[in-house]
Amino acid sequence: MTTSIDQAWNLAKARYAEFDVDVESALKLLDTLPVSMHCWQGDDVAGFENTGGALTGGIQATGNYPGKARNAAELRSDLEQALALIPGPKRLNLHAIYLESDTAVERNEIEPKHFANWVEWARQKGMGLDFNPSCFSHPLSADGFTLSHANPEIRKFWIEHCQASRRISAYFGRELGTASVMNIWVPDGMKDLTVDRFAFRERLMTALDEVISEKIDEKYHLDAVESKLFGIGAESFTVGSNEFYLGYATTRKTALCLDAGHFHPTEVISDKISTAMLYVQHLLLHVSRPVRWDSDHVVLLDDETQAIAHEIIRNRLFDRVHIGLDFFDASINRIAAWVIGTRNMKKALLRALLEPTDMLRKLEADGDYTARLAMLEEQKSLPWQAVWETYCQRHNVPAGSEWLQTVRQYEQSVLSKR
């Protein structure tokens, strides 16, 4: 029996064929583009060290929606609910604070064994894992400095933490057969006027060099470094600026991480991708939604998310750009936040794959900017939604908003009892 989704799909295929777009090829390519979901949406960046300490480093998770995960088992259960509602390939991005241990473990002493349960879980799900050292929410980061700290003992602690994290990341890659991207972000900065900026940045550069000094096969592990314009408590000076990390990634051959919320409100990372790709081999994206600052709102299918996807697809950066998400909203159902944000990123990728890019490139090359603008706008109305619904159907996930009912049922039966 032909359903309404089938009928819409057949019409969409014919409509896109008029623009020489093969929708089947688009769906096959979409199935090769994983999105790395971030574990910290599930528990408001609390982690499992169980120290009871406050969230620091300029990070804020606002809201108090009931049902957040309190341990790794609950977090994995919540993730499974979200994963079942999102079509296509996914990865999971872990922070070091999500270790599992019966006893307290200092961050510079974390080992692969503390993440063995995550690896086994990911293996069962057929997913890769990514990783991050956690250089925040710790007594030795309380004064706002880690890898650039003036105290050599404190600096050594954070260097050792990042080195241990690299070994864990490589363990992920070896065990799961897909390279783990490990991103280094530090909150280091000053609230007010800073005199010796050079000294801080020189210490950070030297510390990072020590962190990545052990050579690890890129089949298993990729280093990435992430900049930020400012943070709460670091409004006047951030050691790891965009210029610092672009220079570092270029000269040290690491990946560069661009976070959508880590720039001035009038800047967008979609415009930075083509520039960075001229100088670095790999780019890590943290797709987020800043509202007036790095607020990490849930990703929407908005102009910037779409522009990010267009830059990846138009330039065929499939093997060079690694797509991750970074948002945490504690004011709504956390599983719904994962589902909304991840589905929106995948919708943006699909719409980019369905764009008649060859035709648009020719118009641009011919100098016909009138037709270029006209067609860019007209193609937005092509029936991409019908293609998305078929993609969801093929992956046995809800095509439309009916996924919300599944989340509500889980909230009533599980989350509400926490």
Side-chain angles (χ1 to χ4, degrees):
M1 179 179 176
T2 302
T3 67
S4 58
I5 289 180
D6 294 331
Q7 292 173 341
W9 161 252
N10 288 324
L11 291 170
K13 279 199 301 184
R15 187 77 176 98
Y16 275 107
E18 295 174 13
F19 294 88
D20 294 323
V21 174
D22 184 342
V23 294
E24 285 288 3
S25 295
L27 293 188
K28 287 180 182 177
L29 192 47
L30 186 59
D31 267 337
T32 68
L33 302 175
V35 174
S36 189
M37 295 169 58
H38 51 307
C39 74
W40 50 93
Q41 166 61 61
D43 76 333
D44 310 337
V45 207
F48 305 134
E49 290 179 320
N50 300 317
T51 61
L55 189 60
T56 68
I59 304 168
Q60 291 187 352
T62 56
N64 192 30
Y65 200 89
K68 76 175 181 179
R70 299 165 296 184
N71 53 57
E74 289 183 352
L75 184 56
R76 285 191 283 267
S77 176
D78 294 352
L79 278 162
E80 288 171 3
Q81 293 297 312
L83 291 168
L85 301 172
I86 301 164
K90 282 87 64 178
R91 300 174 64 88
L92 181 67
N93 195 7
L94 287 168
H95 248 286
I97 56 175
Y98 289 87
L99 81 169
E100 293 179 81
S101 176
D102 294 332
T103 59
V105 180
E106 264 300 354
R107 290 194 196 173
N108 63 339
E109 296 176 351
I110 57 174
E111 299 179 53
K113 66 181 182 180
H114 300 126
F115 296 87
N117 290 340
W118 284 110
V119 167
E120 185 55 36
W121 179 83
R123 196 192 323 273
Q124 292 172 6
K125 301 298 176 186
M127 297 171 59
L129 292 175
D130 299 311
F131 201 56
N132 308 260
S134 302
C135 300
F136 55 85
S137 300
H138 188 278
L140 293 183
S141 68
D143 62 358
F145 294 96
T146 58
L147 290 178
S148 70
H149 207 289
N151 184 320
E153 289 303 312
I154 294 178
R155 196 163 67 248
K156 181 174 182 287
F157 173 87
W158 291 111
I159 289 170
E160 291 174 349
H161 172 56
C162 292
Q163 290 172 331
S165 295
R166 292 181 83 234
R167 291 189 285 272
I168 292 165
S169 175
Y171 160 69
F172 290 170
R174 284 192 298 270
E175 289 294 317
L176 299 173
T178 175
S180 168
V181 182
M182 193 197 87
N183 182 53
I184 299 174
W185 171 78
V186 296
D188 299 33
M190 285 276 193
K191 181 178 181 64
D192 217 326
L193 301 179
T194 308
V195 175
D196 198 352
R197 295 170 183 242
F198 184 88
F200 282 104
R201 287 178 170 142
E202 186 175 42
R203 285 194 294 269
L204 177 57
M205 181 184 70
T206 303
L208 286 168
D209 284 347
E210 191 170 345
V211 167
I212 67 171
S213 60
E214 180 186 352
K215 301 303 179 186
I216 300 176
D217 195 325
E218 287 193 355
K219 289 191 304 183
Y220 308 124
H221 163 87
L222 290 173
D223 292 299
V225 289
E226 179 181 10
S227 70
K228 192 169 184 177
L229 176 64
F230 80 97
I232 301 300
E235 293 84 358
S236 297
F237 169 57
T238 297
V239 183
S241 65
N242 182 52
E243 293 80 5
F244 176 91
Y245 279 125
L246 180 58
Y248 192 87
T250 302
T251 56
R252 271 60 170 183
K253 309 301 182 186
T254 71
L256 179 69
C257 177
L258 297 176
D259 186 297
H262 283 195
F263 295 88
H264 190 277
T266 61
E267 287 186 275
V268 289
I269 66 169
S270 58
D271 187 46
K272 301 179 186 297
I273 293 172
S274 56
T275 297
M277 288 281 82
L278 295 173
Y279 301 102
V280 300
Q281 181 61 30
H282 291 279
L283 197 63
L284 170 62
L285 301 180
H286 278 185
V287 183
S288 185
R289 179 166 57 103
V291 178
R292 296 187 172 86
W293 75 292
D294 184 29
S295 58
D296 287 307
H297 279 61
V298 177
V299 168
L300 302 180
L301 186 57
D302 57 11
D303 286 349
E304 174 58 3
T305 304
Q306 190 60 64
I308 291 168
H310 277 313
E311 286 297 307
I312 298 169
I313 303 304
R314 287 171 180 167
N315 297 297
R316 303 189 69 80
L317 300 173
F318 313 129
D319 296 327
R320 296 179 62 195
V321 172
H322 307 268
I323 307 167
L325 304 178
D326 187 7
F327 54 81
F328 36 96
D329 190 340
S331 70
I332 64 174
N333 182 292
R334 295 169 183 83
I335 297 169
W338 270 321
V339 175
I340 294 166
T342 312
R343 283 172 68 109
N344 279 339
M345 186 67 242
K346 286 181 170 285
K347 287 177 183 178
L349 290 168
L350 174 61
R351 291 179 69 184
L353 288 165
L354 293 172
E355 179 188 76
T357 305
D358 290 342
M359 178 188 70
L360 293 167
R361 283 190 194 280
K362 185 176 187 307
L363 292 172
E364 186 167 278
D366 291 345
D368 192 348
Y369 304 144
T370 302
R372 179 188 63 183
L373 180 59
M375 294 311 301
L376 276 168
E377 290 304 298
E378 290 298 329
Q379 60 94 29
K380 291 178 180 177
S381 300
L382 292 175
W384 68 269
Q385 179 92 20
V387 183
W388 169 257
E389 289 178 342
T390 293
Y391 184 66
C392 289
Q393 193 174 64
R394 290 181 180 182
H395 283 277
N396 298 311
V397 306
S401 59
E402 56 268 27
W403 63 261
L404 186 57
Q405 183 59 36
T406 302
V407 172
R408 291 295 192 204
Q409 290 171 353
Y410 184 75
E411 179 177 23
Q412 183 176 6
S413 62
V414 177
L415 302 182
S416 65
K417 295 178 172 58
R418 290 180 182 170

